[in-house]
Amino acid sequence: MRILITNDDGINAPGLHTLEKIAATLAGPDGEVWTVAPAFEQSGVGHCISYTHPTMISHFGTRRFAIEGSPADCVLAGIHHVLPQKPDLILSGVNRGNNSAENALYSGTLGAAMEGALQGVRSLALSQYFGPKNAEIADPFEASAIHLAPLITRLLDTAPWGGDDYQIFYNINVPPVPADGVKGAAATAQGYRGHGRFQVEPHKAPSGRQFIWVKGGAQHDPTAPGTDAAANLDGYISVTPMRADLTDADALTALKNTL
């Protein structure tokens, strides 16, 4: 396979090095792994693209490039400029922290996978949940390093892909435990934490200028049964199929009856 990998934590992020090893395993000895990742951290940029200004691209080594732009920019550059042919697979991650529940809506990791799906390439977003059981171990990405390659292989062979218009991509979150604490994988819906909405904390600089820090909510309360964060906190890798189509089908049906 020819695999394109990217992330939103930046080209020097430890999770990307983990993903390079996962991708090499999947590609096999005759395959290719191409890295096109942001030059700087792009966490929280979602599916944004650099539409109004040019974006610099730098060659970092064999099949390795950095983009001064978003994860979605990296996917566009990889498909339409860097790679000699369209990739067979796009992997985004491994993100440092979960992209379960509402986090998925802000995630540049998911933004890259979404763009890959819009470009007609099978794409997965990969994230490593952090918590007291794995944050301080020698390799906090250990569970991802060990469990993701066989899981992705299974999904490529057996999971639904494609679609008539907006294609499926997968959001995968690895639980906050060491590798030997992973209980398995679970098909889940996107959860809702409710209190997980982002907030702001205001600060005043010595000059008197006003600034804000954006801060998130608690990450270790479970969502509803059958959803991503609940599975993660129970020790399971959550696998959530997604599409870029934001239409609420139930509301659309009800709306048709009122207009």
Side-chain angles (χ1 to χ4, degrees), residues 110-211:
L110 263 77
M114 185 183 298
E115 185 57 43
L118 290 171
Q119 295 288 328
V121 181
R122 292 187 293 181
S123 301
L124 302 97
L126 310 169
S127 302
Q128 175 64 64
Y129 220 125
F130 275 51
K133 294 181 179 179
N134 72 334
E136 302 300 328
I137 63 176
D139 179 9
F141 292 92
E142 174 191 85
S144 292
I146 291 176
H147 292 286
L148 283 180
L151 174 60
I152 293 168
T153 298
R154 195 156 79 245
L155 291 173
L156 291 174
D157 290 340
T158 63
W161 292 94
D164 294 334
D165 39 42
Y166 291 103
Q167 295 196 9
I168 294 170
F169 64 97
Y170 286 89
N171 181 26
I172 299 177
N173 286 274
V174 180
V177 295
D180 61 6
V182 175
K183 298 177 181 178
T188 62
Q190 182 181 350
Y192 178 66
R193 290 188 178 96
H195 61 269
R197 297 184 184 92
F198 285 93
Q199 304 173 28
V200 299
E201 183 175 300
H203 289 269
K204 182 179 285 188
S207 64
R209 291 183 174 89
Q210 295 287 334
F211 293 85

Side-chain angles (χ1 to χ4, degrees), residues 1-6 19-28 31-36 63 78 83 85-92 121-122 124 126 152-153 156:
M1 281 196 297
R2 179 180 291 107
I3 301 176
L4 170 62
I5 68 172
T6 190
L19 183 57
E20 287 171 340
K21 296 174 184 177
I22 293 168
T25 299
L26 294 168
E32 297 176 357
V33 176
W34 293 77
T35 300
V36 184
R63 299 184 188 136
L83 274 67
Q85 293 176 288
K86 203 171 189 177
D88 303 301
L89 179 67
I90 294 173
L91 302 175
S92 179
V121 181
R122 292 187 293 181
L124 302 97
L126 310 169
I152 293 168
T153 298
L156 291 174

